[in-house]
Amino acid sequence: MFATLVDRYHASLVRVAMHHVPSRAVAEEVAQETWLAVIEGIDRFEGRSSFKTWLFRILLNRARTRGVRERRTTPLSSLSTEPEDDRGPVVPPERFRGSDALWAGHWAAPPRRWEGESEARLLAKETWAHIDEALALLPAAQRDVLVLRDVCGLSGPEACEALGVSEANQRVLLHRARSRVRASLEHYLDDDTDSAGGVA
Amino acid sequence: MIPDHLSCRMLVEEVTEWMEGSLPADRRAELELHLVTCVGCTAYVEQLRQTSRAMAEAAQPDDEVPSAEVRSALLDLFRRRRPPDAVS
């Protein structure tokens, strides 16, 4: 039972922790500490939340605490700058027709379908590093929601409970985060297609 | 015909509410009607879904996590802390 849990969740724990601490080695330590806390606390786990929620809540608490502590001893240059001012549209307005144009507000530069070569590239291992970079550039609250939802596969209610945010807030954070990563991937895949000879 | 009151520009801001099932019924119907007729928004929604899938895919545990040492150390700890009949 415990072995199954470790196999199933350890990689996800390390991945979530990575976004809070400066290195993989520290993330691995945080994940291991989380398992120790699970072992110690399993008798107190009352099943009011799902095990997954409980597990990730422990991990996030530890990863944040550890992240703060590590930063005190880490050069400032390694701190990510967090774009907290984040109220603008998720797609740049210039991609839509202007308000005085026919079909105002409809696509002027619609997205391309990701199929064929684009889709293959999307799922290629090289793209993983790009996804990680895009995640790293998100404000922390957005990143936590997106990682729990899309990377770790938690449901909306589970993510709310693990993070202690309301459902409405969770949806706003998810929306902004996922939209940004999409935009980043679009940029990456389209650039790539263009440089490969303009295959549309 | 695409309804004038839900533009593509608005759809991209409401689409997560729709995907999460939290859009009011009338707005949901409007959005779904828009998608039937709008190639650009259909591609956009599909890209969002593909983005989600790509993130899940990128998270598949690789063979180095957890390492064999970590795994067996954790299992040892668990066995020592729990009565034997609780371990499987």
Side-chain angles (χ1 to χ4, degrees):
Chain A
M1 175 205 88
F2 187 68
T4 313
L5 293 174
V6 170
D7 291 342
R8 184 183 302 167
Y9 292 118
H10 190 81
S12 290
L13 295 181
V14 173
R15 239 181 111 90
V16 175
M18 283 279 285
H19 291 295
H20 292 269
V21 298
S23 72
R24 185 182 184 105
V26 177
E28 177 70 40
E29 278 175 38
V30 171
Q32 290 173 34
E33 284 167 23
T34 300
W35 289 117
L36 295 185
V38 165
I39 292 168
E40 282 162 12
I42 196 85
D43 296 328
R44 294 191 300 277
F45 173 61
E46 291 164 334
R48 273 196 293 238
S49 56
S50 75
F51 173 77
K52 223 197 294 189
T53 301
W54 184 61
L55 177 67
F56 281 101
R57 201 163 49 206
I58 295 171
L59 176 89
L60 282 164
N61 283 335
R62 280 167 188 270
R64 284 171 182 155
T65 308
R66 186 67 186 265
V68 169
R69 205 195 315 155
E70 294 281 337
R71 260 178 224 121
R72 282 190 206 126
T73 58
T74 309
L76 262 177
S77 58
S78 68
L79 293 180
S80 64
T81 46
E82 297 216 335
E84 291 300 347
D85 176 32
D86 190 32
R87 290 157 188 273
V90 295
V91 177
E94 57 270 23
R95 292 195 62 177
F96 301 99
R97 293 166 188 266
S99 54
D100 48 356
L102 193 63
W103 296 99
H106 289 262
W107 291 103
R112 296 194 239 189
R113 292 175 68 94
W114 290 342
E115 51 193 7
E117 200 186 330
S118 294
E119 190 178 30
R121 292 208 54 80
L122 176 68
L123 299 172
K125 273 201 173 183
E126 294 81 52
T127 307
W128 293 7
H130 183 82
I131 290 174
D132 272 338
E133 279 168 29
L135 287 169
L137 289 171
L138 295 173
Q142 290 184 22
R143 185 173 58 232
D144 279 344
V145 168
L146 189 64
V147 168
L148 288 185
R149 292 293 310 273
D150 286 358
V151 178
C152 303
L154 267 66
S155 69
E158 283 172 339
C160 287
E161 221 185 318
L163 293 165
V165 298
S166 72
E167 296 214 4
N169 192 16
Q170 189 262 152
R171 287 197 299 270
V172 170
L173 294 167
L174 175 68
H175 174 64
R176 304 208 66 83
R178 200 189 268 155
S179 302
R180 277 190 181 203
V181 175
R182 185 216 65 86
S184 171
L185 282 171
E186 182 182 41
H187 195 245
Y188 172 76
L189 293 173
D190 282 1
D191 273 4
D192 199 73
T193 314
D194 290 345
S195 64
V199 185
Chain B
M1 201 65 184
I2 301 169
D4 277 340
H5 35 296
L6 179 67
S7 64
C8 307
R9 192 173 169 171
M10 290 154 88
L11 185 140
V12 300
E13 296 295 343
E14 294 180 34
V15 68
T16 306
E17 294 277 341
W18 174 67
M19 290 167 90
E20 293 287 291
S22 53
L23 215 54
D26 51 347
R27 195 59 168 176
R28 190 182 75 207
E30 203 176 340
L31 191 149
E32 287 170 3
L33 184 63
H34 181 121
L35 284 178
V36 169
T37 54
C38 183
V39 176
C41 286
T42 303
Y44 185 86
V45 170
E46 187 53 26
Q47 285 189 356
L48 277 177
R49 293 198 171 116
Q50 286 173 294
T51 297
S52 278
R53 283 201 293 273
M55 282 187 279
E57 198 70 29
Q60 290 306 308
D62 47 45
D63 45 11
E64 53 179 333
V65 175
S67 68
E69 293 86 6
V70 167
R71 189 177 186 276
S72 65
L74 285 171
L75 297 190
D76 272 356
L77 270 172
F78 185 70
R79 281 191 202 98
R80 273 190 266 131
R81 300 216 177 206
R82 307 288 299 157
D85 61 347
V87 182
S88 58

